Amino acid sequence: MKRMSTQSSNMQGSILHVTSPLVLSIATLSIAVLCNLVRHLINASTWPSITKESFLRLLGIRLGDIPTTVILDSAVAVDALVRRADDFSDRPPGGGATAIISNGKLQIITTVPYGPHWVALRRNLSSEAFHPVRGLARAAPHRARALAGLVDDIATRSAAVPVRECLYAALFALNAATCFGDGVVDGERVEAMRAAQQEFFRLLPSFSVFATFRKVARLLYRDRWKQLVHCRRRQEEMYLPLIRACQERRSTARCTTTVSYVDTLLDLEVPDEEATNPQGRRKLSDGEMVGLVSEYLGASTGTVLALLEWTLANLVLRPDIQRRLRGEVEAAAGEACAYLRAVVMESLRRHPPIPSVQRHMRRDVVVGSTPVTRGTLVNFSLEEIGRDDKIWTSPEEFIPDRFMPGGEGEGVRLTIGSKEAAKVMMMPFGAGRRICPGMGYAILHIEFFLANLVTAFEWHQVKGQAVDLKPHHGFFTTMSNPLHARVVRRAPVS
Ligand code: HEM
């Protein structure tokens, strides 16, 4: 390029002055296309069909793709995520619908870069909404209502219960209640929100093309961009009136006690990047609140739903495990259940709903022995770590006993501290500063629903419909073929 500009300075005013850089660029581009084309033809057995993606690849452009180093080793993962957290606490930029659509101006917990804004959003979720007393204990009536609705729903279904559908309705209603509090969302509205949110998460992985070269991607994927805008608009139309209703409820009831996630968001103040005073704080904007509500509903429903469905599928396949679990829960009468925890741990190990976590590098680093350059990604495979055959015996099998006393997984913890590297055998909730803040809420709900569902019903295979454990890797890892089960009603749930 430097040589070109020297040349052109001698040709002021000539047409060549204008065209030669263009001609050279076209020539360079053509060579690049030809090289890539030859490479494709050498690798492909047939002539490649020309799609938008393949054409861009010929140009050497991979929309949404950032060079990535994949880590499969748990010790390397812990060293990076936990011990060197200063370098490993940022997610890839440009992810998440809220951030994409606002060009990075509006952020949610998942996408916000590590820093004071992240601290404020995250602390609000983990210490306010998920506070053991103010949050989790207060949600008990919502949980009881959701369970009663779920049991009624399952009991009235015909021979093959569509397990995912029933669980989705119950979990979404529960999370909408903990999100907005009492009396704000009616059943019909919850159903519309659930359908919209389900559609949004189905489409979300396809929006990753907008993570890089956004302007080009918007031109090439106009329909996809329209879908993204449409999804976001629907969320605003649905959630903003509910947020207003929460505001209204607070002012009329003269009640300032925190009762829901939205209440905590209405109280929250985050650092004001535009303030002249570095200590300046501001309230959240409407756009930010819509994104945070969507994140809350999506993360709290999709993950727990996936895990419960996987667990029930394994219990259908293994009546012996199901019977033992039921026996333990009934005998425990509300006390802690070691085998219940073991079943949940085994499910998290074998079927982590989020298969990997990504970190974006702000500077050049070395991970394990691999140099990783600034601006690229490191992907830690939670799925592979949980199924490492150097750590686990028969890792593909569902064996809750591994987590019982004397088992190879005895004492495995999900919260990973810097001194625990030697014992880290799985990390379904991630690790380091960005570890999942919903872990306690998730485990509470998974155990609550599972314990009640195995005591309320016996779960059997539907005749002629084999349970298929093939995974579908969407935004969450779910069963490729949703579980259908034949259920037999047992004692009513207390
Ligand atoms: C079985 C249930 C769940 C699993 C397996 C799970 C897993 C994960 C994983 C692997 C991460 C990434 C962690 C990392 O990058 O190191 C994450 C982050 C996150 N999860 Fe969960 N999660 C679950 C439930 C929940 C629930 C119930 C919520 C409640 C809203 C939630 C909210 C979040 C949020 C907000 C983040 C981003 C945290 C941050 O960037 O600081 N998750 N989760």
Side-chain angles (χ1 to χ4, degrees):
M1 288 301 279
K2 254 189 172 160
R3 264 186 54 228
M4 270 165 49
S5 62
T6 323
Q7 254 183 5
S8 59
S9 65
N10 300 329
M11 291 188 268
Q12 291 288 334
S14 80
I15 293 175
L16 253 184
H17 168 63
V18 182
T19 53
S20 62
L22 186 67
V23 170
L24 281 171
S25 304
I26 290 172
T28 317
L29 199 63
S30 309
I31 292 166
V33 171
L34 268 173
C35 290
N36 282 330
L37 184 60
V38 169
R39 222 185 14 238
H40 275 257
L41 287 176
I42 289 168
N43 291 334
S45 51
T46 53
W47 183 263
S49 60
I50 299 297
T51 59
K52 259 181 229 169
E53 286 80 4
S54 59
F55 179 69
L56 288 169
R57 250 172 249 146
L58 291 178
L59 295 179
I61 298 173
R62 294 171 69 92
L63 287 183
D65 275 7
I66 305 174
T68 304
T69 305
V70 179
I71 302 297
L72 308 175
D73 184 273
S74 67
V76 175
V78 173
D79 180 54
L81 292 168
V82 181
R83 297 226 193 85
R84 295 195 282 147
D86 280 348
D87 287 327
F88 290 86
S89 292
D90 270 331
R91 296 241 163 70
T98 304
I100 293 172
I101 214 143
S102 65
N103 212 6
K105 286 195 192 80
L106 306 178
Q107 295 285 353
I108 58 176
I109 307 173
T110 319
T111 57
V112 67
Y114 179 73
H117 193 123
W118 171 80
V119 171
L121 293 178
R122 170 137 180 154
R123 190 176 289 156
N124 177 62
L125 179 63
S126 29
S127 347
E128 290 300 324
F130 290 164
H131 184 277
V133 179
R134 287 197 297 276
L136 301 187
R138 269 175 191 269
H142 299 310
R143 271 194 292 281
R145 258 198 306 276
L147 174 67
L150 175 60
V151 170
D152 280 353
D153 186 13
I154 294 174
T156 52
R157 298 281 179 155
S158 55
V161 175
V163 177
R164 185 182 300 177
E165 197 181 307
C166 299
L167 287 173
Y168 210 137
L171 291 171
F172 194 84
L174 164 60
N175 293 321
T178 59
C179 183
F180 296 104
D182 278 326
V184 171
V185 226
D186 56 46
E188 215 169 289
R189 221 186 291 204
V190 168
E191 186 43 34
M193 278 159 51
R194 185 196 60 72
Q197 197 72 13
Q198 200 168 359
E199 174 67 357
F200 174 65
F201 272 91
R202 193 181 64 76
L203 295 170
L204 196 51
S206 71
F207 299 146
S208 65
V209 290
F210 303 116
T212 54
F213 304 108
R214 186 159 309 155
K215 284 191 180 141
V216 181
R218 275 185 64 172
L219 279 176
L220 289 167
Y221 295 94
R222 264 180 293 189
D223 287 347
R224 216 176 284 189
W225 182 258
K226 273 190 212 152
Q227 275 178 329
L228 173 60
V229 173
H230 173 71
C231 281
R232 171 68 191 190
R233 225 168 254 152
R234 262 177 96 189
Q235 288 179 343
E236 284 172 3
E237 283 161 10
M238 280 188 292
Y239 302 150
L240 277 177
L242 299 174
I243 293 168
R244 298 272 174 273
C246 290
Q247 236 161 352
E248 184 76 6
R249 180 186 57 200
R250 286 153 65 87
S251 59
T252 52
R254 277 194 231 113
C255 164
T256 49
T257 330
T258 297
V259 289
S260 71
Y261 184 47
V262 169
D263 285 302
T264 68
L265 294 178
L266 289 166
D267 285 337
L268 183 65
E269 292 192 335
V270 293
D272 185 354
E273 297 81 1
E274 280 168 21
T276 39
N277 167 11
Q279 307 304 321
R281 313 284 288 181
R282 64 170 176 85
K283 291 281 192 187
L284 292 170
S285 68
D286 283 353
E288 284 170 314
M289 278 206 250
V290 168
L292 288 160
V293 162
S294 170
E295 175 184 57
Y296 180 93
L297 293 172
S300 58
T301 308
T303 49
V304 173
L305 169 72
L307 200 87
L308 278 172
E309 190 187 30
W310 281 117
T311 313
L312 287 169
N314 279 288
L315 295 187
V316 167
L317 287 170
R318 292 289 305 273
D320 55 326
I321 297 179
Q322 189 182 148
R323 268 194 303 275
R324 180 167 163 196
L325 176 60
R326 180 177 300 122
E328 185 200 56
V329 173
E330 285 179 343
E335 293 305 307
C337 296
Y339 195 62
L340 172 64
R341 177 56 59 96
V343 169
V344 173
M345 289 291 281
E346 178 64 344
S347 212
L348 283 163
R349 180 196 70 79
R350 180 67 185 78
H351 308 285
I354 298 183
S356 62
V357 298
Q358 283 81 36
R359 295 292 186 267
H360 183 251
M361 296 299 101
R362 284 188 192 182
R363 64 183 191 92
D364 294 354
V365 292
V366 175
V367 192
S369 53
T370 314
V372 178
T373 47
R374 180 171 168 264
T376 64
L377 301 184
V378 182
N379 184 316
F380 299 89
S381 174
L382 310 182
E383 204 170 51
E384 296 289 334
I385 290 171
R387 294 189 205 163
D388 187 343
D389 60 10
K390 291 192 287 308
I391 299 180
W392 300 101
T393 322
S394 311
E396 295 303 318
E397 304 216 350
F398 190 80
I399 312 174
D401 261 322
R402 327 171 181 271
F403 292 96
M404 295 298 278
E408 60 191 340
E410 182 187 6
V412 165
R413 284 155 42 99
L414 297 169
T415 322
I416 295 153
S418 55
K419 294 196 182 99
E420 269 171 307
K423 191 69 179 155
V424 172
M425 297 164 83
M426 59 194 272
M427 46 174 82
F429 292 95
R433 291 182 189 149
R434 306 296 289 238
I435 192 172
C436 176
M439 193 193 310
Y441 183 85
I443 298 279
L444 177 74
H445 286 174
I446 292 163
E447 293 192 347
F448 173 78
F449 281 101
L450 192 58
N452 282 291
L453 288 176
V454 289
T455 48
F457 303 100
E458 279 173 21
W459 298 78
H460 302 283
Q461 200 144 198
V462 177
K463 242 192 186 144
Q465 222 170 312
V467 174
D468 181 1
L469 293 182
K470 192 156 66 160
H472 166 71
H473 295 288
F475 190 79
F476 302 114
T477 304
T478 54
M479 291 176 69
S480 209
N481 291 308
L483 175 67
H484 284 78
R486 181 174 65 80
V487 300
V488 177
R489 184 80 164 98
R490 298 185 71 260
V493 182
S494 58

